[in-house]
């Protein structure tokens, strides 16, 4: 059995309480939500902390999916399983269910949270790619109040985010635009593994042509921009295999994978291309099938 | 993914019903399962003793280095630490080194040098396991790095750093040479052959990865001088003898207990430094000491398996008659030769690489080397290296089929050993006991619908879809073994068994083999039940305690049913013979006038007069007279020395789909027809087969203990060392034929490892078959998506 070094812990009863504890306990304190990244790191003694502040009691305050007029707000403590099973997200952003179905396993999904996933900022993490694809913004709260950052600003590098000490990610906001849909695809060596490479795509149509499109990749280097070159290449175009191929080519060029246990850099670059094509194709198919994206009808439910 | 909906109805499951109470062989639920299912098992880590202390081991962070200094003062000062021990401390007691199962030596704690990452350097004994771990971080070791030897192919290069400087006069990293077969005869056959195919085939290092890691509780009582060791051992008796020889403690004052074991797969055959450390700690501090390794320790330091770099060559006629097989192997044995195999077989039973085919000649040359990697080379569900042998032959036969443009099934069929040729002596000297190979092959093809599958494949190929069909046919050699040939450290591989029938007709069977999940408590009760005619539920099976069981060599290499199972049957017959004499007295007829009707003796021609085993048991213990010369009680013991190994076999068919875009492999179907002779409990056999097939899919597609250039093990967690889940495997389709072993008392053969041996080549053959449109003849395991894609790009590179 792997056992962590000694530490103390406390349970936060509100966001303010958590911020206060972080402020008081200093740099050696960390928040723990689902704990599926932090606790193994502590057991392996890769992370040695003096204090853990358990924020699971904040699920009531920060666990929600709220559909507003032009955006969806997701509380940072919303569990993977709640994202997977949310009818609102299934209707507006099927990319969530696509991704959640291949994130870890049911035990992890019952406990892990979207906020924890984003704050861990693992380069192979799926929800960062999903939020990038959907052009999400993140709400960060500290003693001095709230601020909102884009995914690009949020994600500063591997395992590094814009959340400063004594701050907490409270909410993820996703803009809702008409006639859109999305999809996610992941290649993993085994069920529950981190991605070798994954790709998310979101497409918004205007009649027969693409009004806008974004692609988010995971496990192939820093990528939280949505790859603007793909958006530019697709805007105003009619969907076609040639168009997807062009987008895939851009994705392969835009990423910077490295060779590791999960696969060679060449293979990951190939997957960036292949999965970009697949998710764009799937997104368009979903729009055409009326499966999702017509936000007016969806919100009426 | 296999979903519940897609699973066909299992009619045969209806027969798994204990209400039917099979008195003997047949399907019944496992007697041991209720306690496991309810979480009531008793594993080593469940052992709690009064005053018990906890041991943790400091391990080398580097693969090769001299130890310049070790400062333990800060750890010693930890308030909860009772002892800190280094290699130097052990050396003072003459305990710094211990023998391996292959007559090499291994450091218990490194003295002057570390030779693999994860090697034991020091240990701490503390009041709790948290403090023990904390104190490890307080030990300061200064290392002077040495260049590591990682690539097995260059380990013997003249400029390679010498690893085993502890061995006097050692100038290189050579471990041993071994050969089998006839080199000259094989060369001659190759010279005249129409077709010769060669292929470099790597079987990467893999790990048994049992769910329960290794560990022990050592309790030395100073007053009685008795050492009790609860330990994760597949071979408690063998371990006890080794401890006696190493420690100097008298053997009768050592009691080795293996409680419930959470999977072994060969990983729990060797004696690890951790066990010795715990024993030493208990001797030093005079209290019970528990050591249980964590997952990383298990993966990086305990017995691995495989790690053979092979060159296979096959010679044949143009019309597909296989003439000879020749192979050259470089075997990576890590820093110490810890292979668990009978002493005369340093390469295990790799000599069966001639497979299931009738050849004119065969030859193998093997060179084993030391590297800066963990020691071992265990029988990981491989029957002593038969996994490597079968993989080699089944892969090279497929390579030949590729070159001959012949259906791989047809090629195999033309070369299988025919039923009338048994017993069949192979060109490497193995005597296969019995087989009807073509019958098993036909049965597997029939279940699979082979011809339809080939038609489907053709259609799919025309649409650019990648579907592959892989076939393997294997012969296993299990049940080590005849004591004249086979011993481990001088201990012959015969098994004792003891059966005692209580006055009420209930019984206790004591066996020397060790259950690790194979279902022995059920199977062995059924063996006795079949012979004595009393219900399996009336028979308790005791194993895993050297004070309570007769001597024997334990459970690995699928030897339990072939050896201990035979012992159980024979000891039951011995009891039955005695019962017959007692019955003759009870019925007042001569022994010859009695006939056996499962569970009772009756007078021939007068079936109304009979006595049951239960009646006889009561009489054997009662006050009434017994026939002259018959002692009271109804019990017996024997030691069974097998005359030969048993040779189970099977035919496997695997169907895969490969995603042309992502190169992901999905195992769509898997058909396994096994012939293990007489089937004692078909449900348990199927369970064993299911587990082995899953294992095989894991090795073929994802498992590998990999190292970087510095010798860092990069598979030190189950996130890095992948083992398959239910989502990676299909619904298993099993079938069987029955060809009894002629020399086993009940005709049974071992089956525990058949599926692990037979399945990897079936999966790899299927993937390679799927990639045929890319001109691929061979690609090495593990066939991860990335490696399959590399193969599709024309770069099927070896994994090491």
């Amino acid at each position: 059995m792997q056992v962590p070094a000694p530490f103390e812990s406390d349970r936060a009863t509100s966001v303010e309480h958590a911020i206060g504890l972080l402020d008081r306990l200093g740099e050696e304190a960390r928040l723990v939500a689902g704990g599926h990244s932090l606790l193994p790191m502590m057991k392996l003694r890769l992370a040695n902390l003096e204090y853990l502040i358990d924020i699971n009691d904040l699920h009531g305050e920060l666990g929600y999916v709220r559909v507003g007029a032009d955006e969806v707000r997701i509380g940072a403590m919303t569990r993977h399983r709640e994202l997977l099973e949310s009818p609102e997200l299934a209707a507006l952003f099927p990319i969530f269910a696509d991704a959640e179905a291949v994130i870890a396993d049911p035990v992890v999904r019952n406990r892990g949270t979207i906020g924890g996933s984003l704050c861990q900022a693992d380069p192979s993490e799926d929800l960062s790619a999903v939020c990038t694809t959907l052009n999400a913004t993140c709400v960060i709260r500290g003693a001095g109040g709230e601020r909102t950052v884009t995914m690009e600003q949020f994600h500063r590098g591997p395992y590094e985010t814009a959340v400063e000490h004594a701050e907490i990610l409270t909410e993820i906001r996703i803009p809702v635009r008409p006639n859109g849909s999305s999809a996610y695809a992941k290649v993993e060596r085994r069920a529950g593994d981190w991605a070798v490479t994954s790709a998310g795509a979101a497409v918004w149509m205007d009649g027969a042509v693409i009004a806008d499109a974004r692609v988010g990749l995971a496990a192939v280097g820093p990528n939280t921009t949505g790859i603007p070159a793909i958006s530019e290449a697709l805007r105003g175009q009619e969907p076609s295999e040639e168009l997807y191929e062009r987008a895939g080519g851009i994705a392969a060029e835009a990423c910077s994978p490295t060779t590791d246990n999960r696969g060679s850099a060449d293979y990951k670059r190939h997957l960036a291309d292949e999965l970009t094509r697949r998710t764009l194709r799937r997104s368009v198919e979903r729009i055409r099938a009326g499966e999702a994206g017509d936000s007016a009808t969806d919100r009426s439910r | 993914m296999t979903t519940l909906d897609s699973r066909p109805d299992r009619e045969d499951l209806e027969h798994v019903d204990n209400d039917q109470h099979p008195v003997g062989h047949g399907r019944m639920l496992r007697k041991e399962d209720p306690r496991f299912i309810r979480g009531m098992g008793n594993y080593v880590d469940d052992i709690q003793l009064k005053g018990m202390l906890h041991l943790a081991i400091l391990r080398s962070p580097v693969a090769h280095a001299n130890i310049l200094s070790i400062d333990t003062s800060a750890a010693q000062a930890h308030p909860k630490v009772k002892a800190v021990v280094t290699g130097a401390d052990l050396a003072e007691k003459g305990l710094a080194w211990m023998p391996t199962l292959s007559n090499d030596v291994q450091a218990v704690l490194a003295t002057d040098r570390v030779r693999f990452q994860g090697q034991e350097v020091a240990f701490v004994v503390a009041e709790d396991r948290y403090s023990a771990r904390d104190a490890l971080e307080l030990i300061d070791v200064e290392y002077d790095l040495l260049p590591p030897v990682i690539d097995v192919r260059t380990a013997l290069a003249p400029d390679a750093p010498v690893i085993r400087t502890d061995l006097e006069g050692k100038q290189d990293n050579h471990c041993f040479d071994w050969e089998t077969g006839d080199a000259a005869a094989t060369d001659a056959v190759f010279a005249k052959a129409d077709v010769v195919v060669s292929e470099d085939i790597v079987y990467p290092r893999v790990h048994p990865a049992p769910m329960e890691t290794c560990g022990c509780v050592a309790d030395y009582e100073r007053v009685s001088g008795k050492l009790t060791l609860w330990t994760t051992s597949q071979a408690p008796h063998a371990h006890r003898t080794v401890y006696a020889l190493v420690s100097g403690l008298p053997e009768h004052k050592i009691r080795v207990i293996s409680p419930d074991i959470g999977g072994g797969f060969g990983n729990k055959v060797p004696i690890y430094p951790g066990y010795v450390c715990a024993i030493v700690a208990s001797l030093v501090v005079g209290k019970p000491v528990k050591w249980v390794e964590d997952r990383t320790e298990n993966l990086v330091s305990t017995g691995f398996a495989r790690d053979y770099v092979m060159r296979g060559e096959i010679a044949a006629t143009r019309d597909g008659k296989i003439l000879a097989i020749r192979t050259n192997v470089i075997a990576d044995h890590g820093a110490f030769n810890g292979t668990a195999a009978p002493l005369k077989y340093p390469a295990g039973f790799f000599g069966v690489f001639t497979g299931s085919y009738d050849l004119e000649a065969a030859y193998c040359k093997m060179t084993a080397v030391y590297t800066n990697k963990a020691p071992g080379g265990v029988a990981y569900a491989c029957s002593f290296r038969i996994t490597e042998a079968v993989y080699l032959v089944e892969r090279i036969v497929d390579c030949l089929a590729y070159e001959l443009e012949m259906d791989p099934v047809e090629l195999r069929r033309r070369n299988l050993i025919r039923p009338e040729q048994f017993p069949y002596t192979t060109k490497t000297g193995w005597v296969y006991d019995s087989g009807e190979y073509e019958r098993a092959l036909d049965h597997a093809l029939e279940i699979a619908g082979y011809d339809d599958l080939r038609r489907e494949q053709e259609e799919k190929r025309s649409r650019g879809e990648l579907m592959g069909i892989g076939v393997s046919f294997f012969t296993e050699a299990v049940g080590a073994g005849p004591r004249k040939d086979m011993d481990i450290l001088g201990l012959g591989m015969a098994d004792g068994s003891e059966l005692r029938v209580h006055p009420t007709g209930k019984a206790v069977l004591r066996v020397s083999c060790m259950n690790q999940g194979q279902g022995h408590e059920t199977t062995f009760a059924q063996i006795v039940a079949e012979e004595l005619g009393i219900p399996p539920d009336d028979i308790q099976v005791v194993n895993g305690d050297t004070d309570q069981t007769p001597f024997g060599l334990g459970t690995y290499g699928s030897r339990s049913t072939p050896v201990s199972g035979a012992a159980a049957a024979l000891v039951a017959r011995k009891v039955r013979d005695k019962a017959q004499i007692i019955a003759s007295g009870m019925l007042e007829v001569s022994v010859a006038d009695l006939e056996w009707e499962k569970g009772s003796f009756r007078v021939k021609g007068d079936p109304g007069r009979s006595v049951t085993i239960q009646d006889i048991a009561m009489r054997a213990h009662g006050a009434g007279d017994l026939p002259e010369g018959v002692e009271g009680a109804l019990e017996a013991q024997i030691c069974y020395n097998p005359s030969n190994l048993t040779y189970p076999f099977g035919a496997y068919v695997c169907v895969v789909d490969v995603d042309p875009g992502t190169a992901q492999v999905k195992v769509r179907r898997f058909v396994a027809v096994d012939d293990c002779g007489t089937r004692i409990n078909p449900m348990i056999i199927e369970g064993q087969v299911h587990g082995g097939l899953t294992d095989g899919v894991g090795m073929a597609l994802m498992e590998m203990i990999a190292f970087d250039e510095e010798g860092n093990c990069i598979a030190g967690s189950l996130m890095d060392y992948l083992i398959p889940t239910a989502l990676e495997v299909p619904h298993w389709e099993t079938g069987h034929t029955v060809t009894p072993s002629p020399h086993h008392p009940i005709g049974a053969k071992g089956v525990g490892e058949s599926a692990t041996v037979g399945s990897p080549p079936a999966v790899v053959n299927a993937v390679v078959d799927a990639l045929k449109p890319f001109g691929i003849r061979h690609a090495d395991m593990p066939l991860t998506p990335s490696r399959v894609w590399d193969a599709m790009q024309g770069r099927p590179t070896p994994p090491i």
Side-chain angles (χ1 to χ4, degrees), chain A residues 123 125 128-133 151-152 155 157 198 214-228 230 250-257 272:
Chain A
E125 199 276 314
S128 299
V130 169
C131 289
T132 296
T133 304
M151 279 304 292
E152 202 178 348
H155 196 92
S198 30
R214 292 176 62 87
V215 169
L217 304 174
V220 284
N223 215 312
T224 48
T225 61
I227 315 181
I230 291 184
I250 296 170
E253 274 176 35
C255 65
S256 49

Side-chain angles (χ1 to χ4, degrees), chain B residues 580-705:
Chain B
Q580 188 168 8
I581 298 170
I582 297 171
S584 75
M586 293 167 77
L587 295 167
E588 297 178 331
V589 294
S590 76
V591 165
D593 287 334
L594 291 174
E595 60 186 3
W596 173 248
E597 168 73 29
K598 209 173 192 179
S600 62
F601 284 102
R602 64 186 181 197
V603 178
K604 285 179 186 165
D606 188 0
R609 292 177 62 207
S610 70
V611 287
T612 65
I613 282 288
Q614 289 83 355
D615 300 333
I616 299 167
M618 187 57 84
R619 172 61 74 107
H621 293 87
D625 284 342
L626 294 172
E628 200 169 323
V630 174
E631 293 174 0
L634 190 56
E635 57 194 52
Q637 70 173 61
I638 67 152
C639 182
Y640 177 77
N641 177 28
S643 59
N644 188 8
L645 303 174
T646 65
Y647 293 79
F649 55 91
Y652 290 177
V653 181
C654 177
V655 182
V656 301
D657 296 303
V658 179
D659 184 320
T662 64
Q664 285 173 295
V665 175
K666 176 181 159 52
V667 179
R668 190 208 311 172
R669 287 183 67 196
F670 201 107
V671 175
V673 169
D674 275 278
D675 190 323
C676 59
T678 302
R679 293 159 65 83
I680 299 161
N681 184 328
M683 187 199 76
I684 286 180
I685 292 170
E686 283 162 13
Q688 293 275 286
V689 170
H690 289 184
L693 296 176
T694 306
D695 232 354
V697 168
M699 288 182 284
L701 299 185
M702 62 191 79
E703 294 185 34
M704 179 169 168
I705 296 285

Side-chain angles (χ1 to χ4, degrees), chain B residues 203-220:
Chain B
Y203 209 133
R205 177 176 285 228
V206 296
H207 198 277
M211 196 184 297
E212 177 203 31
T213 60
C214 300
C216 68
V217 178
D219 183 17
Y220 180 72

Side-chain angles (χ1 to χ4, degrees), chain A residues 219-267:
Chain A
V220 284
N223 215 312
T224 48
T225 61
I227 315 181
I230 291 184
S231 307
E232 281 163 32
L234 266 55
R235 271 187 216 119
Q237 304 293 316
E238 278 195 34
S240 68
E241 283 303 313
E242 292 70 32
L243 193 64
Y244 303 146
E245 190 179 328
R246 206 182 326 153
I250 296 170
E253 274 176 35
C255 65
S256 49
T258 54
T259 296
D260 60 17
N261 259 358
R262 289 186 207 129
S264 66
D266 284 350
Y267 174 60

Side-chain angles (χ1 to χ4, degrees), chain B residues 775-786:
Chain B
I776 305 295
R777 194 178 78 180
H778 176 70
D780 283 313
M781 301 182 282
L783 291 167
T784 59
S786 182

Side-chain angles (χ1 to χ4, degrees), chain A residues 45 190-191 194 267 270 278, chain B residues 137 659 661-662 719 723 728:
Chain A
R45 301 193 178 216
R190 188 201 62 188
W194 292 100
Y267 174 60
H270 163 77
R278 288 187 184 191
Chain B
E137 296 183 10
D659 184 320
T662 64
M719 285 176 66
I723 50 180
E728 278 74 44

Side-chain angles (χ1 to χ4, degrees), chain B residues 231-517:
Chain B
T231 182
T232 49
S233 171
Q234 297 177 223
H237 286 281
H239 279 198
R240 181 186 60 178
T241 305
V242 173
Y243 291 131
L245 294 173
V246 173
S247 71
L249 289 171
E251 195 169 4
H252 69 295
K253 294 211 168 181
I254 302 175
R255 180 182 184 187
V256 174
I257 302 172
S258 287
D260 286 329
I261 290 190
F265 315 108
N267 190 237
K268 291 164 182 169
V269 173
I271 290 177
Y272 293 118
Y275 303 153
V276 178
C277 291
I279 293 170
V280 170
S282 185
L283 288 169
V284 169
V285 300
K287 297 219 166 156
V289 174
K290 178 185 279 186
W291 167 70
V292 177
E293 67 189 5
D294 65 26
R295 180 62 58 192
T296 299
E297 293 180 288
N298 181 254
L299 286 169
V300 306
S301 76
T302 65
F304 68 93
R306 325 286 191 254
D307 220 341
Y308 272 18
V309 174
M310 307 180 275
R311 179 157 186 84
E313 294 175 285
I314 190 165
T317 64
R318 179 59 59 193
D319 60 357
K321 172 74 189 105
I322 302 172
L323 303 173
I325 297 177
R326 191 165 57 189
T327 179
N328 197 304
V329 180
I330 311 174
D332 188 340
H333 278 243
F336 308 102
N337 184 11
T339 297
L343 216 52
K344 288 180 196 162
Y345 299 84
F349 298 167
F350 188 78
V352 301
F353 69 89
T354 55
S356 313
Y357 310 109
D358 185 22
L359 308 180
E360 290 182 15
Y363 177 68
C364 167
K365 169 144 180 31
M366 179 179 296
T367 304
V369 299
Y370 292 115
T371 60
N372 287 113
K373 302 175 196 169
V378 298
Y380 167 23
C382 75
S383 315
F384 302 119
R385 305 286 193 183
I386 292 178
T387 310
E388 291 91 321
V390 166
Y391 182 66
L392 176 87
V393 59
E394 289 306 289
R395 203 68 276 296
I396 197 77
V397 165
D398 255 36
C399 292
L400 176 65
Y402 181 99
E403 291 302 325
L404 294 174
E405 296 180 354
M406 185 181 283
D407 183 288
V409 167
E410 181 54 29
L411 177 60
R412 283 175 172 82
R413 193 187 291 283
R414 287 183 194 184
N415 291 283
L416 288 176
I417 300 165
R418 297 183 308 281
E420 66 273 16
Q421 289 178 288
F422 290 91
Y424 178 87
T425 304
T426 71
K427 295 300 175 201
T428 48
W430 300 78
V431 183
Y432 292 6
D433 59 348
S434 63
E436 270 204 57
Y437 290 173
E438 208 166 353
R439 181 172 61 153
L441 179 62
D442 285 337
H443 190 32
L445 298 176
E446 185 195 329
I447 297 173
Y450 185 74
D451 295 337
D452 289 342
L453 286 172
R454 285 290 177 203
R455 272 190 288 276
E456 181 190 348
Q457 180 183 41
E458 201 174 326
E459 266 174 45
K460 289 198 161 154
R461 274 191 184 151
S462 69
R463 295 200 298 265
E465 294 175 36
L466 302 177
M467 167 185 169
I469 304 158
V471 174
S472 75
F473 196 100
F474 67 92
T475 300
E476 267 259 72
V478 302
R483 64 197 305 169
K484 67 176 169 18
D485 282 339
M486 296 178 187
D487 69 273
I488 288 183
L489 291 182
L491 300 171
M493 301 185 79
D495 280 2
S497 183
E498 186 188 305
L499 177 64
R500 190 177 294 175
V501 184
H502 305 311
T504 56
K506 315 294 183 191
V508 56
L509 175 76
R510 298 170 194 279
V511 291
S512 59
C513 59
M514 180 62 219
N515 194 7
Q516 309 133 39

